[in-house]
Amino acid sequence: MKIQIPIYSLILASFSFACQKAEERTNTIKATPYDIHVELSWDKAPEADSYEVWVSMDDDHYTRRAVLEDTIYLDFVNDLGMELDLNYEIRAYAGDDSTIVGKAATKTHKMTDEELLDMVEFYTFRYFWDGAEPNSGLAPERIHIDGEYPQNDAHVVTTGGSGMGIFGLIAGMERGWITKEQGVARFERIVGFLEKADKFKGVWPHWINGQTGKVQPFGQKDNGGDLVESAFLMQSLIAVREYFKDGDERQKAVAQRIDQLWKDMDWTWYTRDGQDVLYWHWSPEYAWDMNFPLEGYNECLITYVLAASSPTHTIDAAAYHKGWARNGGIKSDKKAFDYDLILKHNGAEDMGGPLFWAHYSYLGLNPMGLKDQYADYQKLNTNHTLINRAHAVENPGGFAGYGEDLWGLTASYSINGYNAHFPANDTGVISPTAAISSIPYTPEESMQVIKNLYYNYGKKVLGRYGFYDAMSPEHDYFPTRYLAIDQGPVVAMIENYRTGLGWKLFMGAPEIQEGLKKLGFESPNISKQ
């Protein structure tokens, strides 16, 4: 079935977005100008089956820009010039009959870096707000603008991706893109769904049917609890709990319900009869057949932090040191491009793994100044990012476009389906989330990529939910598709870079403080008491 895109005009009217200061509205058209594009939205016209977008620079001679069935359109106008005075007209068609929906005048303007970040963060936030699965309020696994959903995928929500996006929903309330009341209502829906959805010893599956709450198998034997994806979800829910715990009665009620979900998670069960390691999967039907112990280093650090922090089903610190850290075997003495690798990246020992390893566990867990006996996590993630970037600058594969302003290898769509890209597995595909989500570690270098994507690739790579999931000048590959697990880190990490919001909330939780101490972590964000 085709993607059904929601109407934004009524929702966006309340947003206090910085770049919308120049916004003008005539009749039912909203025109929001940026630098090289204008976003247009309008109310659905009765009986209309299509619309045409027309533009004029003198309010006299109009040129048709688009024919579409939607009520939102991003008009990239850099072909017309820069800092333009524009007059728009939207025409609705019902068969051969047409009517003018309305007109709007606006002016594009040169954006500051802050305004550009505002736009990218806001657009990406909309994936989790406007693009949410309607019954659950959670994030769909994917949104395809360019075609059909995969079979039976229309209502599949992703546990981990939803958690990543929840940090974006918190940011949306803080920035006024949605009101606190709207946010509370959404979290009441999300929490109500999660309370009734399938759980396995308090742990959700990787995918859930957003309509029924039943497990949607990720694979034949992957039809039970997914501890890692659930950790990504609970990381964000704890942040929501902290955000709402001192609020009004509705907010406090949401916080208390989240607290119960947190306490229901049986982390000890996933040690598989008390072993000194956590296991990723358990299924009532297939038990431990997936047989995936969580050994570092990869994206799973947050799982051990939460398991050690649990107030009801905590694990012993030995599971972290013997299982995750492999009795110290996790440490690496290798260098790449003269940067210390610090930890052994599973399956990518020479130049590091995909960059999502530097993001997923750190949307709430603040790596800045975080250390234990194995690593300085700020240095670990910064070096990981710089190695990934240096590989693209060196560009041993000779791929078109690669360089200081186009880098970033991670898991995303690819020229052959889905692929976990990293320097030793480079197919010439860049994933925008890789460099953008690394902005706390490499702010200047990440901004170079953002500017290149927006100004030089424009409509090829940017849509209503932010930058698309993947792109490749080498292969002329520009799919207009999104994945929740890539959009989520973008909005979360931009907000962490700008205000530290997600980090402050998660690190402020009392249990997390105690769990980190239990595992031997040090941080300026951990209380000495």
Side-chain angles (χ1 to χ4, degrees), residues 24-342:
E24 297 187 26
R25 179 185 285 273
T26 302
N27 298 333
T28 57
I29 300 177
K30 179 179 180 181
T32 307
Y34 298 94
D35 198 328
I36 66 167
H37 83 284
V38 175
E39 180 176 313
L40 301 163
S41 62
W42 56 93
D43 297 329
K44 183 174 176 59
E47 309 300 326
D49 49 38
S50 66
Y51 302 91
E52 290 185 355
V53 177
W54 292 72
V55 70
S56 170
M57 288 185 284
D58 57 13
D59 202 22
D60 186 18
H61 299 91
Y62 279 79
T63 302
R64 188 171 65 183
R65 300 290 287 177
V67 179
L68 67 162
E69 297 178 6
D70 210 349
T71 56
I72 184 171
Y73 179 65
L74 274 58
D75 188 23
F76 285 84
V77 295
N78 44 321
D79 61 319
L80 303 176
M82 304 297 286
E83 299 190 45
L84 300 167
D85 289 301
L86 299 168
N87 298 285
Y88 282 97
E89 182 176 284
I90 306 297
R91 303 174 187 177
Y93 284 82
D96 294 330
D97 299 327
S98 67
T99 57
I100 295 176
V101 173
K103 297 185 177 183
T106 193
K107 180 180 176 65
T108 57
H109 64 284
K110 182 65 178 175
M111 291 194 292
T112 65
D113 286 0
E114 274 297 296
E115 288 176 321
L116 181 57
L117 275 180
D118 278 338
M119 181 197 73
V120 175
E121 185 180 353
F122 171 65
Y123 271 31
T124 312
F125 152 82
R126 295 198 302 200
Y127 183 99
F128 302 97
W129 182 252
D130 296 315
E133 195 281 324
N135 181 64
S136 65
L138 294 171
E141 166 71 8
R142 68 193 87 234
I143 292 179
H144 291 182
I145 304 300
D146 62 358
E148 304 285 330
Y149 275 124
Q151 187 178 9
N152 300 322
D153 210 23
H155 293 287
V156 172
V157 297
T158 169
T159 302
S162 293
M164 297 167 196
I166 282 171
F167 283 106
L169 299 182
I170 302 171
M173 289 185 286
E174 276 295 283
R175 293 188 172 274
W177 299 335
I178 55 175
T179 65
K180 281 279 184 71
E181 290 73 19
Q182 288 174 307
V184 170
R186 174 62 62 86
F187 281 113
E188 287 172 336
R189 186 189 313 176
I190 288 172
V191 171
F193 178 82
L194 291 173
E195 287 170 336
K196 297 177 181 177
D198 280 350
K199 291 185 284 295
F200 305 87
K201 305 297 181 179
V203 173
W204 294 277
H206 187 127
W207 282 344
I208 309 172
N209 184 302
Q211 295 291 293
T212 66
K214 299 299 182 184
V215 59
Q216 182 87 15
F218 192 69
Q220 180 183 346
K221 294 185 178 182
D222 193 352
N223 66 346
D226 187 309
L227 195 66
V228 176
E229 295 293 315
S230 295
F232 298 148
L233 175 58
M234 187 49 66
Q235 178 181 211
S236 69
L237 289 175
I238 288 173
V240 175
R241 186 196 70 179
E242 294 299 296
Y243 188 72
F244 281 152
K245 69 180 182 181
D246 296 322
D248 62 24
E249 291 307 308
R250 285 182 68 191
Q251 293 171 25
K252 288 179 180 177
V254 169
Q256 290 164 3
R257 292 166 69 186
I258 288 172
D259 192 60
Q260 189 58 55
L261 290 172
W262 163 227
K263 290 175 178 175
D264 288 343
M265 297 181 76
D266 190 348
W267 304 89
T268 56
W269 176 264
Y270 285 81
T271 61
R272 194 172 177 177
D273 300 320
Q275 297 181 42
D276 285 328
V277 68
L278 288 169
Y279 280 80
W280 196 312
H281 313 90
W282 178 76
S283 159
E285 185 176 0
Y286 295 102
W288 304 103
D289 281 4
M290 293 288 290
N291 195 32
F292 200 132
L294 300 183
E295 298 175 338
Y297 180 72
N298 48 42
E299 74 271 31
C300 303
L301 175 61
I302 190 64
T303 315
Y304 280 90
V305 171
L306 289 170
S309 302
S310 172
T312 51
H313 301 283
T314 188
I315 62 166
D316 192 85
Y320 176 71
H321 297 294
K322 295 181 181 179
W324 172 256
R326 292 179 278 128
N327 290 308
I330 194 174
K331 297 173 73 171
S332 172
D333 58 3
K334 289 190 175 183
K335 289 179 178 283
F337 301 102
D338 209 31
Y339 298 107
D340 293 326
L341 198 62
I342 300 176

Side-chain angles (χ1 to χ4, degrees), residues 297-298 332 334-337 339-358 380-381 383-389 391 409-410 420-426:
Y297 180 72
N298 48 42
S332 172
K334 289 190 175 183
K335 289 179 178 283
F337 301 102
Y339 298 107
D340 293 326
L341 198 62
I342 300 176
L343 296 180
K344 292 179 180 177
H345 290 217
N346 289 345
E349 306 294 351
D350 292 327
M351 287 190 287
L355 273 180
F356 72 84
W357 291 3
L380 170 75
N381 291 335
N383 286 5
H384 184 185
T385 303
L386 290 171
I387 290 168
N388 196 290
R389 177 180 182 270
H391 164 80
L409 303 177
T410 193
H421 310 101
F422 53 97
N425 180 40
D426 186 358

